[in-house]
Amino acid sequence: MTAPVINLEATRLEAAAPGRRLLRGLAQDRTARIGLVLVVVFAGAALLAPVLATRDPDVIDLVHKFGAPSRRHLLGTDHLGRDEWARILYGARLSLGTAVVASLAIAAVGITVGVLAGYLGGWVDGVISRIVEVLLSFPGFLLALAVTGILGPGLRNLLMVMVFVSWAGYARLVRGLIVAERSKPYVESARATGVSDLRIVSRHLLPNIMSPVIVLTTLDMGAVLLGLAGLSFLGLGVQAPTSEWGAMLSEAKTYIGDAPQLMLYPGGSIFLMVLAFNLLGDGLRDTLDPRTALGSAKSRSRRRRPAPSCAKRTI
Amino acid sequence: MSLRHGGLSPLQRYVGRRLAVVLPTLLGMSFLVFSVASLTPGDPAEEYAQRVTQRPPTAAELAQARHELRLDRPFAVQYVDWVAHAVRGDLGKSFFTRHSVAAEVRHRIPFTLQLAVPAALLSLVIAMAVGTVSAFYRNRPLDQVVRVLSLAGASMPSFWLALLLVIGFSVRLRLFPVAGRQDGLASLVLPVAALSLPSAAVLSRFIRSTLLEVLGEDYVRSARAKGAREVAVLTRHALRNSLVPVVTAFGTSLGHLLAGTVVIESIFAWPGLGTLTLDAIHHRDYPMLQAFILFAGLIVIVINLVVDVSYAVIDPRIRPGRRAVPGAD
C-alpha cells in the first residue's frame, strides 16, 4: 500500500525472455516454491469451495454452537453453529478474490499512470510525480481509514479505497522503467520506422518492463490482502455475517475466552496467505534481480533511499 | 549560490523549502476530505438534530443545527472558515458529542503516544540487534532461524498477533489484563508487543539485507584486507554506511506504526486516537475525522522532515547546499 521501494531496475536486463526466466527461477528457488504451493492450495480451496465444503457456510444451527471438530463439521462450528470449514473455504473466495481483483485494478491504474508520466514527460510527468510523491509519503492504511471513513463501509468502497491508496507505488516503478527504456535504440528505431506511440508502448515498452511489475504485484498482494482483512476486521469492509477472514476474526474476538479456536482458523489463513505471497515475491525478486545476491553488489550505485525490498506491510 | 541567500544556513533553507511543499499538501488534503465529505449522501445536520431531540427535527431545529455545525453557508465559505479556525487550533465541534474536537484530540493523544513511542523504540532496538546478528552469521543456522521467524513476523496480521497474545497471556496465564488501560505497566505490555513485533520483523529483514549489500562494497574489502576483524567491519564500516537507508525505513515504519495503533487500540479498548477515529468513522463525525487526518498528516510530515534532516547528520556527504538533497526539488 505504501512506498514499495523495490530495486528492480536490474531485471530489465533480463527481460529477453521474462516468462521463461520466471518459471526457471520458481523451479530453482526453494522459498518461491513453498510460496507457490501455498498460493495454489489456497486458490484451489477458493475455487473448489462448493465441492470441498459439505455444509452451507451461512446456515445457523444454535443447538450445535461451539461444536468440536467432527466428521460432520471438520473444523467444528462457530458461535452460531455455522460450519467453520465451509466458512473458511468460502472466506478464501472472498479474501483471496478481493485481493486479486484489487491488485489487478491497482496494477492497471498504476501502470497506465506510470506510462503516461514516463512516456509523455513534461508537465504531465511533473504533475503525476508530485501526486505520487505525496501519496507515497503517507502510510497507506491511514489513508485507507480516512477514505473509508468518508465513503462509508462496504465491499465496493473497500476496493475503491485500496486502489486509491496503492496505485502510486506502481506508477513510480513503471515511470522509472519507462524513462530508462524510452531512449534505447530499439525504441528509437521503432519510432523511426513510423510505429505509433500506442504501439511502441504496448508492443515494445510494456513487455520489456513486465517482470519487475509482476514481482511488485506479487509482493504487494500480501499487503493488499492484509489491508483488506484489517479493514474488514475493524468493521469497515466486508460486513459481519459474510464469511470473510477479517470479518470472521472480528466475530470470533467476542468469544476469545470460551472458544479461542475460532480465532485460529481465519487468522491463520490470513497469515499463511500473506506469508505465501511474501515467499513467492521474495523468490521471484531474487531470481529476477541478481544484484541482491551477496557479493555482486559492487556494480551498485550508492543510494540513500532504501533499495532492497523485503516483505512489506502497512498495518 | 549561498551568497544569494545570505543570513540563512543551508539547513534552514532546506527546511524552509520542505515546508513550502508541505503546507500546500496539507491544504490540498484537507480540501479533498472536506469536499468528499460534503458530497456524500446523508445530512449530518439532520442526524445531529435527531440525536439531540430524540425525534425527527422540526424545520426550525434543523436550521438551528445547521447553524451550530457551521453547515448553513456555501461550501467555499465553509472550507475557508474551517481553515481559518484550524490554523488557530479550533477544529470545530464534533457532530456526535458536540464537544470541541481539538480538546478531545488533545485529550487522546497522550494515550496513543504511550503505545506508539515504546513500540517504536522497541521495534528499532529489536530490529537492529536481530538484523545485525543475522547479517554477521549470514547463511549459518542462527541466520536461517532468524530469517524464518522474521518472515513469519512480517506476514503476521497485527490484529491476529494481538488476539493470540491475549489468549496466551491474559486468558490462559492471566499475566496481563485482557483489555483496557490501567495504571502501571501491565496493561501496556500486550498492546506494545503486538504493535512492535511485526514492525521489528519487517525492519530487521531490511537491516539484514542492507548490511549484506554494504558488505559487498569496495571499502569493506579494503577494511578486511587491512586485517580488521569481522565484528569491526560490521559495526564500524557496514553499519555506519547502512544507517541512512535504515533511518529512512524506520521513518516509514513509524507511519505504519501509527496506522497500527488504530487496530491495536480497538482490540485492547485503549482510549487513544485510534479508538476515537474508529468511533468517528462509525458516527460519520466528519470534523473529528478531519482532525485525525490533519494530525496524522502532520505527524507523517514531521517524521519525513526529521528523517531527511538526519541524513545530513549521519552522512557528511549529504549536506544541503553541497549537493542535491533527497526529496527536495
Side-chain angles (χ1 to χ4, degrees), chain A residues 160-227:
Chain A
M160 278 165 54
V161 165
M162 289 310 279
V163 174
F164 174 73
V165 303
S166 315
W167 63 269
Y170 290 79
R172 184 173 67 176
L173 173 69
V174 169
R175 178 199 169 273
L177 293 168
I178 293 275
V179 165
E181 204 78 356
R182 165 176 79 179
S183 53
K184 293 220 168 141
Y186 76 90
V187 180
E188 302 220 326
S189 55
R191 196 174 292 131
T193 53
V195 180
S196 69
D197 284 344
L198 192 65
R199 204 175 155 83
I200 289 178
V201 168
S202 62
R203 299 297 284 272
H204 298 279
L205 288 176
L206 280 182
N208 274 317
I209 63 162
M210 248 7 233
S211 24
V213 175
I214 290 171
V215 176
L216 177 59
T217 313
T218 315
L219 276 172
D220 205 44
M221 194 87 83
V224 169
L225 195 121
L226 210 52

Side-chain angles (χ1 to χ4, degrees), chain B residues 26 52 74-75 89 96 127 152 167 186 209-210 217 238 244 265 293:
Chain B
L26 266 184
V52 175
F75 169 75
F96 188 66
I167 290 180
S209 62
T210 308
E217 299 276 354
V244 166
E265 282 183 12
I293 293 165

Side-chain angles (χ1 to χ4, degrees), chain A:
Chain A
M1 269 155 78
T2 25
V5 217
I6 298 182
N7 178 48
L8 300 160
E9 299 91 22
T11 55
R12 226 172 39 240
L13 307 170
E14 313 290 341
R20 210 177 328 142
R21 263 197 73 85
L22 276 182
L23 286 179
R24 188 147 37 97
L26 281 183
Q28 282 165 0
D29 191 296
R30 190 163 49 113
T31 51
R33 239 173 16 230
I34 300 172
L36 187 65
V37 168
L38 275 173
V39 169
V40 168
V41 166
F42 273 97
L47 288 173
L48 298 176
V51 183
L52 294 173
T54 46
R55 306 270 140 196
D56 187 314
D58 295 318
V59 166
I60 294 172
D61 178 11
L62 285 173
V63 179
H64 297 105
K65 65 178 179 183
F66 299 125
S70 61
R71 272 177 57 195
R72 200 177 143 85
H73 300 290
L74 278 176
L75 297 178
T77 57
D78 71 359
H79 60 289
L80 297 175
R82 294 172 297 192
D83 184 57
E84 190 70 11
W85 170 240
R87 290 184 68 73
I88 289 290
L89 288 174
Y90 279 92
R93 288 196 140 186
L94 210 51
S95 298
L96 196 53
T98 45
V100 169
V101 170
S103 294
L104 290 180
I106 292 164
V109 172
I111 291 171
T112 310
V113 176
V115 165
L116 283 179
Y119 196 74
L120 296 179
W123 65 269
V124 178
D125 186 21
V127 171
I128 291 177
S129 295
R130 180 48 50 83
I131 296 173
V132 164
E133 193 190 317
V134 168
L135 274 178
L136 285 182
S137 68
F138 279 87
F141 196 73
L142 277 185
L143 218 51
L145 270 178
V147 183
T148 318
I150 295 160
L151 291 179
L155 183 58
R156 197 178 53 102
N157 288 352
L158 188 65
L159 286 174
M160 278 165 54
V161 165
M162 289 310 279
V163 174
F164 174 73
V165 303
S166 315
W167 63 269
Y170 290 79
R172 184 173 67 176
L173 173 69
V174 169
R175 178 199 169 273
L177 293 168
I178 293 275
V179 165
E181 204 78 356
R182 165 176 79 179
S183 53
K184 293 220 168 141
Y186 76 90
V187 180
E188 302 220 326
S189 55
R191 196 174 292 131
T193 53
V195 180
S196 69
D197 284 344
L198 192 65
R199 204 175 155 83
I200 289 178
V201 168
S202 62
R203 299 297 284 272
H204 298 279
L205 288 176
L206 280 182
N208 274 317
I209 63 162
M210 248 7 233
S211 24
V213 175
I214 290 171
V215 176
L216 177 59
T217 313
T218 315
L219 276 172
D220 205 44
M221 194 87 83
V224 169
L225 195 121
L226 210 52
L228 288 167
L231 286 172
S232 293
F233 176 76
L234 292 175
L236 300 175
V238 180
Q239 298 297 307
T242 318
S243 42
E244 190 271 351
W245 294 337
M248 287 169 68
L249 203 51
S250 176
E251 277 188 272
K253 187 178 64 175
T254 319
Y255 306 97
I256 194 166
D258 305 318
Q261 78 277 8
L262 287 180
M263 277 181 20
L264 236 46
Y265 309 123
S269 302
I270 299 170
F271 168 63
L272 282 178
M273 204 63 252
V274 176
L275 183 70
F277 284 123
N278 283 340
L279 286 169
L280 190 59
D282 273 3
L284 282 178
R285 188 206 50 225
D286 290 346
T287 0
L288 290 172
D289 183 1
R291 289 188 303 175
T292 45
L294 178 64
S296 61
K298 199 183 154 206
S299 60
R300 286 199 167 186
S301 58
R302 190 167 288 126
R303 266 177 316 274
R304 281 176 252 113
R305 295 278 172 181
S309 157
C310 316
K312 64 205 181 56
R313 54 184 299 141
T314 47
I315 49 169

